[in-house]
Amino acid sequence: MAGRSVKRLFYIGLPVLVALLVGAALTTYWWQMRLQKPVEVNMADMGHMAGMTHSEHMEHMEHMEHMGVMAAANSDEKSVSCTAINAPESEAPIRKFDVTAARTKLKLDNGKTVDAWTFNGISPGPELRVTEGDRVVVTLHNKDIEDGVTIHWHGITVPCSQDGIAGVTQDAVLPGGQFTYTFIATSPGTYWYHSHQMSSIQASKGLLGSLIVEPKQKSEFDPSTNEATALYQQLGSSMLVNGSANGLAVPGKPGEQIRLRLINAGNETMEFDIDGAPVRVLAMDGHDLHDPGLLDAAIVPIGAGQRYDLLITMPESGQVIVHSPSAKSLPIKIGSGAQPQHSEGGELFSFVDYGSPSPTDPTPRVEPDRHFELKLGQTLFTKSINGKSFHEIPPLTVKEGDHVVITVSNEGGGDHPFHVHGHVFRVLSRNGVALQGSPVYLDTLLTKKGETYELYLEANNPGLWMAHCHNLKHASMGMSMMLNYEGITTPYRVGTKSGNLPDL
């Protein structure tokens, strides 16, 4: 009898257990889908919604809609709309560009044809090259991208209204529509642009390009006489560099010093080897390093969204080869002649003790006005920050003028390149060790599992700013939040009602 009871329990209990597990998994999955595609969310009002249940959130939204004009009439007189924050008038030279987003069949140089979404018929889109101080005016046209499109200027400090975030700073530009972006190119360096409507989808479809801001005056640590830009992207199933599936050839004469601008516009970390010559890391994310030292046989890791500028002095004979194991068929070959022998076992580049401290840029010693801790991790179907995902993550709320310290820890789920819009932050420490070399200023920080970084940020650009993992697949799975200034509002909404889905 006991044996039959055990069997009966097994045959009944096991299916019930499996059903419960499947039910829990499906419930979690649909919960994630609801978060990915909310009906309507005001990204400036997230502080009021933090911790609300779904029903409480819906009641709040219905109440706000019902109050309508009354709420606007009784709003704080000091509040400012993101749409009212624009580039100041100036007499700076104006650089105008027109870009058109469209569906395009691209024939790659390996003979493969790809259904792409392009800017001006190409992917990457046209390189936008301007000079420090220029007033940049870019008019975006949408020919036939049905879900709409925007342009986000990755790493460029722009006014809130120009950040290109669907549902936060603007509505997505629908077919037949246009939007004109205007900003001042204040910081020289290597940057890029991409759509921030359904970003993980639209960037992988090809809606991206490079933006180079040339300095009015060269840094004393940049003796380069020539330069080249290499933008790596994942276009569908094809890995490309500057739109090529076969790699990149760069002219180089013996003794010439070449600045190589590397842009990782994909979702995965890329590690680059340099064979044939030693190298210096001149800049990271567009910001020069102080007194960059010479590296021999180094491996340079570049996280998704990051940019590294390398200085390479050409040897008296032969080529220099820059390549990554994650893009084996896409080497950058500089110069002519014999190829160098590949060196194995290089040392991984670390900025913690690279270069030397700058006497004009001491480590900030101010007491922070705000201190935030962000733990980047993973749940069953989502990527999370402090255990929450998407708009359920409470925003980082600051006031203009605040000195802000942010502690970022990677607790798992892969590499998380953490990107903050509208700001540049300084890296103070890694795993409790203060930086010993050059000051390091970034807009995107590559974090690996087990790493903890301390960042310093000055709240000097009022607005509503996204802060998210720039593996855009991770952002689309929930690792995306807001950095909001007190008193800044927006008329735009994220969700299926408006069609604005910046992180999908």
Side-chain angles (χ1 to χ4, degrees):
M1 292 292 293
R4 285 188 203 148
S5 298
V6 170
K7 286 184 178 179
R8 188 178 300 112
L9 182 63
F10 177 80
Y11 287 120
I12 295 174
L14 184 60
V16 170
L17 179 61
V18 171
L20 288 173
L21 291 174
V22 170
L26 288 174
T27 299
T28 305
Y29 176 76
W30 288 114
W31 171 74
Q32 181 200 347
M33 291 301 100
R34 175 182 64 80
L35 288 177
Q36 275 189 312
K37 294 184 177 182
V39 176
E40 185 173 69
V41 177
N42 179 354
M43 302 302 279
D45 193 36
M46 293 166 61
H48 300 294
M49 297 184 292
M52 286 186 181
T53 65
H54 178 61
S55 59
E56 288 171 338
H57 172 252
M58 295 308 295
E59 288 176 8
H60 173 76
M61 296 305 296
E62 290 171 3
H63 173 70
M64 293 304 293
E65 187 173 346
H66 174 70
M67 294 300 288
V69 176
M70 185 181 295
N74 293 324
S75 64
D76 186 349
E77 292 181 0
K78 294 182 179 179
S79 66
V80 176
S81 173
C82 173
T83 59
I85 305 176
N86 294 288
E89 295 296 326
S90 71
E91 297 182 357
I94 299 175
R95 295 296 313 278
K96 290 188 175 183
F97 303 91
D98 277 88
V99 294
T100 299
R103 296 172 178 267
T104 308
K105 281 193 178 295
L106 286 182
K107 187 170 183 179
L108 304 180
D109 54 5
N110 62 359
K112 185 177 179 180
T113 299
V114 179
D115 288 322
W117 296 356
T118 63
F119 286 126
N120 291 1
I122 54 177
S123 183
E127 179 182 272
L128 307 183
R129 187 171 284 262
V130 300
T131 301
E132 177 186 4
D134 282 353
R135 189 179 187 85
V136 184
V137 180
V138 182
T139 300
L140 166 66
H141 307 267
N142 182 359
K143 180 182 177 183
D144 56 8
I145 306 298
E146 294 177 3
D147 292 310
V149 65
T150 68
I151 297 181
H152 166 61
W153 311 99
H154 186 109
I156 297 285
T157 303
V158 300
C160 180
S161 63
Q162 307 301 299
D163 199 37
I165 310 304
V168 180
T169 68
Q170 68 174 98
D171 283 326
V173 179
L174 297 177
Q178 66 179 54
F179 187 97
T180 298
Y181 300 91
T182 303
F183 56 89
I184 307 297
T186 54
S187 297
T190 305
Y191 305 96
W192 64 295
Y193 61 92
H194 63 87
S195 177
H196 227 305
Q197 160 72 343
M198 302 182 173
S199 59
S200 70
I201 297 170
Q202 296 201 0
S204 68
K205 284 280 192 178
L207 290 175
L208 48 79
S210 60
L211 170 59
I212 309 300
V213 181
E214 296 179 341
K216 286 184 177 179
Q217 185 175 353
K218 265 192 178 185
S219 162
E220 60 179 303
F221 298 108
D222 178 13
S224 60
T225 54
N226 203 352
E227 70 167 66
T229 301
L231 183 150
Y232 285 83
Q233 70 181 112
Q234 187 75 42
L235 182 62
S237 61
S238 299
M239 189 75 174
L240 307 175
V241 57
N242 290 0
S244 170
N246 295 320
L248 183 64
V250 176
K253 300 175 182 177
E256 189 172 26
Q257 300 191 85
I258 296 174
R259 186 183 193 118
L260 179 62
R261 303 176 185 267
L262 294 174
I263 302 173
N264 182 357
N267 285 324
E268 304 296 336
T269 302
M270 300 184 71
E271 295 185 346
F272 288 89
D273 297 312
I274 300 92
D275 292 322
V279 64
R280 299 180 194 271
V281 179
L282 285 182
M284 297 173 62
D285 284 0
H287 303 281
D288 288 347
L289 298 177
H290 182 258
D291 195 19
L294 201 61
L295 302 170
D296 200 4
I299 299 172
V300 180
I302 304 182
Q306 286 192 305
R307 295 86 59 210
Y308 273 57
D309 289 20
L310 307 182
L311 180 67
I312 298 171
T313 301
M314 294 300 296
E316 290 303 313
S317 63
Q319 295 181 328
V320 173
I321 307 294
V322 180
H323 55 91
S324 172
S326 58
K328 292 182 179 179
S329 63
L330 302 174
I332 302 171
K333 299 179 180 180
I334 308 175
S336 58
Q339 291 192 12
Q341 184 175 355
H342 176 57
S343 56
E344 297 285 350
E347 185 176 350
L348 198 66
F349 169 75
S350 170
F351 57 71
V352 172
D353 57 359
Y354 182 68
S356 64
S358 172
T360 60
D361 188 18
T363 302
R365 300 187 185 279
V366 297
E367 189 69 24
D369 301 295
R370 315 273 175 134
H371 185 196
F372 302 100
E373 292 190 15
L374 303 180
K375 297 179 180 179
L376 313 181
Q378 180 171 337
T379 56
L380 185 59
F381 288 111
T382 63
K383 303 294 182 179
S384 61
I385 300 177
N386 294 343
K388 296 182 179 293
S389 300
F390 295 108
H391 51 275
E392 291 192 345
I393 307 169
L396 308 179
T397 302
V398 301
K399 291 190 299 186
E400 185 176 7
D402 278 350
H403 302 280
V404 182
V405 170
I406 305 173
T407 301
V408 180
S409 301
N410 184 332
E411 296 193 338
D415 289 1
H416 300 309
F418 191 69
H419 174 52
V420 179
H421 288 215
H423 297 79
V424 172
F425 52 80
R426 180 168 180 170
V427 183
L428 298 180
S429 68
R430 184 181 71 184
N431 296 336
V433 178
L435 267 63
Q436 304 297 316
S438 169
V440 173
Y441 289 90
L442 305 173
D443 55 71
T444 308
L445 172 71
L446 172 61
T447 72
K448 292 183 173 291
K449 184 178 179 180
E451 290 183 334
T452 296
Y453 290 87
E454 193 176 35
L455 314 177
Y456 171 74
L457 178 149
E458 293 184 4
N460 55 12
N461 192 15
L464 305 171
W465 307 103
M466 296 190 77
H468 61 96
C469 179
H470 220 279
N471 179 330
L472 294 176
K473 292 180 180 178
H474 291 182
S476 75
M477 294 173 67
M479 196 172 282
S480 181
M481 65 183 302
M482 295 295 295
L483 167 66
N484 289 347
Y485 282 66
E486 293 179 3
I488 306 299
T489 64
T490 178
Y492 305 110
R493 299 293 182 266
V494 167
T496 54
K497 186 175 180 180
S498 65
N500 295 316
L501 297 166
D503 273 332
L504 192 61

